Amino acid sequence: MFSRIRGFLSRHRRKFIIGSVVVSGAIFLTRYTQRKLREWQENEIRALLERTKKQQYYENMLKTCNQMILSLVATLRNSVIEENDSEFIINQLKDGSVDKISAWNQLKVLAITRSAVIIYSYTMLVTFLRIQLSLISGHMYKGAQNVDNESIENEIQRKYMALSSYFIYEGIINLNSFVKSKVAEATAAVSLTERLTLRDLEQIYWAIASSVSADGSGDPIKNCTHYMLQKNGNDEEKIAYSKLIDQLLDMLESEEVQDLMQKNVRSGFVLLMDHISTYFNDSSQSDNGCTTRNGMLQSSVENSLVATDTGSTEFVNINKTSIALARIIPIVNKQIPDNPTHTDAAAGWLQYLVLNNELKTLGANIYEAVSYVHN
């Protein structure tokens, strides 16, 4: 009997060996697969928690950025209005204490400059803040996840976040002066009595934008850092702060960001013309609206400079409706009133920029790139 068993085992030894290897291999593979599955599940859970935490950081950054925009834009607006103070000239016109034609020409430049600078400055500030907050938030998140990575000190954070104050209080003066010179050039040949259609007025703004863009040394889009950041010759800055500044400069000077700002500036002028177009719906209504909105049109200059528009209750094509420039000036001036409202052109432009998806995507991409942690 034993000899039969030995014979059976001898004859089928190879099968037993192969079978043992297969069974052992199957057991090993099963355990290996189970271990890898557990590791994969643990990695997925960690990755999910990582993405959730990173998303929370980003959402908090986005909320903070929007709050900063709303707060700083209010101060920026005041700076623009202060640089283009038209109230003084309006009071002189009311008093009759100045040469009316000269005063109206000054008012013409101030009114158009105010609206143009608002478009440029809001675009620059919102873009700057989106990039600035995305960069520092990405570094802060990365530092919080990696104990070996030195976190950004509070002093550096405060100094970095205070960068925008230079533009609001000083850079805006240079920007306003530059744009004002371009406005004066574009409007010099347009007399106060000249009747303009909406398209004519639009062409004036496009001429200003083209002149600004053609000036390589002054263009606020191509030379954004010149207006936004103070020149600092201090070479003793901490490495972390210098790194933040270098990254900020690289982003502001990148072709992608400049193209986006230029695109938004064009959208800003389109939005401004949409606001102004409501006054061209009916020429007689536009005239009455001007008189109601600005008492300076009640002065004698109205009679000496402005021809009376023909009133009509019929439908008027706004593309063919023309209004004397002297009557358009108060319309343009009141697009950015001294006392802000929720319906003025500046408020509408700010809302457009805050909700702009391309700017949000830019910030999200910067944040994602900076906050990426190698595992």
Side-chain angles (χ1 to χ4, degrees):
M1 179 178 179
F2 288 106
S3 61
R4 291 178 181 177
I5 294 174
R6 283 197 299 273
F8 176 79
L9 293 175
S10 178
R11 289 193 303 272
H12 299 282
R13 181 177 57 183
R14 187 174 180 179
K15 295 180 180 178
F16 280 114
I17 293 174
I18 294 174
S20 299
V21 171
V22 171
V23 172
S24 300
I27 294 174
F28 172 78
L29 288 175
T30 300
R31 292 178 178 176
Y32 178 80
T33 302
Q34 289 175 342
R35 185 171 69 254
K36 287 297 182 181
L37 181 60
R38 285 195 298 270
E39 291 178 359
W40 178 80
Q41 289 174 336
E42 291 173 356
N43 289 335
E44 284 296 306
I45 292 174
R46 282 197 296 269
L48 177 61
L49 293 175
E50 179 81 6
R51 288 194 298 270
T52 301
K53 192 172 184 179
K54 183 181 286 189
Q55 180 66 23
Q56 289 176 344
Y57 263 76
Y58 174 74
E59 290 176 354
N60 289 335
M61 180 273 294
L62 194 61
K63 182 178 180 181
T64 301
C65 185
N66 290 340
Q67 291 174 342
M68 284 191 63
I69 289 172
L70 296 176
S71 175
L72 295 178
V73 156
T75 307
L76 177 62
R77 177 188 176 123
N78 290 336
S79 296
V80 174
I81 291 176
E82 182 178 346
E83 288 298 310
N84 300 281
D85 184 15
S86 59
E87 193 64 29
F88 177 73
I89 296 179
I90 292 174
N91 290 334
Q92 287 184 322
L93 282 170
K94 290 179 179 179
D95 297 339
S97 58
V98 292
D99 178 73
K100 298 188 185 301
I101 294 179
S102 175
W104 273 80
N105 280 318
Q106 293 180 47
L107 188 60
K108 171 184 65 177
V109 173
L110 289 176
I112 297 177
T113 299
R114 178 186 290 198
S115 58
V117 172
I118 283 291
I119 292 172
Y120 278 104
S121 62
Y122 276 25
T123 301
M124 294 165 66
L125 181 62
V126 173
T127 304
F128 181 87
L129 292 175
R130 288 284 188 217
I131 296 174
Q132 184 187 38
L133 267 292
S134 298
L135 282 173
I136 194 170
S137 296
H139 281 293
M140 291 175 65
Y141 173 81
K142 189 174 182 179
Q145 303 309 305
N146 185 357
V147 294
D148 296 328
N149 185 24
E150 183 181 357
S151 60
I152 300 177
E153 300 175 3
N154 291 335
E155 179 184 354
I156 294 178
Q157 293 181 35
R158 288 193 295 269
K159 187 176 181 180
Y160 178 73
M161 294 309 299
L163 288 173
S164 57
S165 62
Y166 173 77
F167 175 64
I168 293 174
Y169 295 106
E170 298 183 48
I172 190 64
I173 298 176
N174 297 328
L175 174 63
N176 191 86
S177 177
F178 172 72
V179 174
K180 187 176 181 179
S181 66
K182 299 302 180 182
V183 172
E185 292 175 5
T187 60
V190 186
S191 69
L192 296 170
T193 56
E194 184 172 345
R195 300 177 67 83
L196 304 177
T197 64
L198 186 64
R199 182 173 179 80
D200 294 331
L201 181 61
E202 184 179 22
Q203 289 303 314
I204 291 176
Y205 275 104
W206 289 133
I208 295 168
S210 297
S211 180
V212 168
S213 180
D215 193 323
S217 62
D219 180 14
I221 303 302
K222 298 175 184 175
N223 303 280
C224 183
T225 56
H226 169 73
Y227 295 99
M228 300 294 300
L229 298 174
Q230 184 176 15
K231 298 296 183 293
N232 191 348
N234 186 5
D235 296 329
E236 300 179 356
E237 300 289 1
K238 293 186 177 180
I239 295 177
Y241 181 76
S242 298
K243 183 179 180 180
L244 286 171
I245 296 298
D246 290 341
Q247 290 180 332
L248 181 60
L249 288 172
D250 289 341
M251 290 304 305
L252 290 173
E253 293 172 352
S254 68
E255 184 177 350
E256 177 187 0
V257 171
Q258 291 184 0
D259 288 345
L260 179 56
M261 284 197 290
Q262 190 65 60
K263 178 182 177 182
N264 283 333
V265 166
R266 290 194 294 268
S267 298
F269 283 116
V270 171
L271 184 144
L272 175 64
M273 296 311 301
D274 286 342
H275 275 259
I276 295 176
S277 66
T278 59
Y279 292 87
F280 281 76
N281 285 330
D282 188 303
S283 59
S284 61
Q285 183 180 356
S286 297
D287 291 344
N288 292 334
C290 293
T291 303
T292 301
R293 287 171 171 77
N294 206 313
M296 66 182 176
L297 287 182
Q298 296 176 2
S299 65
S300 60
V301 73
E302 180 183 40
N303 296 325
S304 60
L305 294 177
V306 183
T308 305
D309 295 302
T310 303
S312 175
T313 59
E314 299 179 359
F315 171 78
V316 176
N317 185 345
I318 62 173
N319 294 319
K320 296 181 179 180
T321 301
S322 63
I323 306 176
L325 178 59
R327 292 192 182 277
I328 294 177
I329 292 172
I331 296 175
V332 174
N333 192 55
K334 286 301 179 179
Q335 296 307 305
I336 317 293
D338 292 348
N339 298 316
T341 67
H342 295 296
T343 58
D344 63 42
W349 179 228
L350 176 60
Q351 183 181 28
Y352 174 90
L353 291 171
V354 170
L355 300 178
N356 187 276
N357 287 328
E358 290 181 291
L359 283 173
K360 288 182 180 179
T361 300
L362 173 66
N365 290 339
I366 295 173
Y367 173 78
E368 183 64 28
V370 174
S371 63
Y372 178 74
V373 179
H374 295 280
N375 295 320

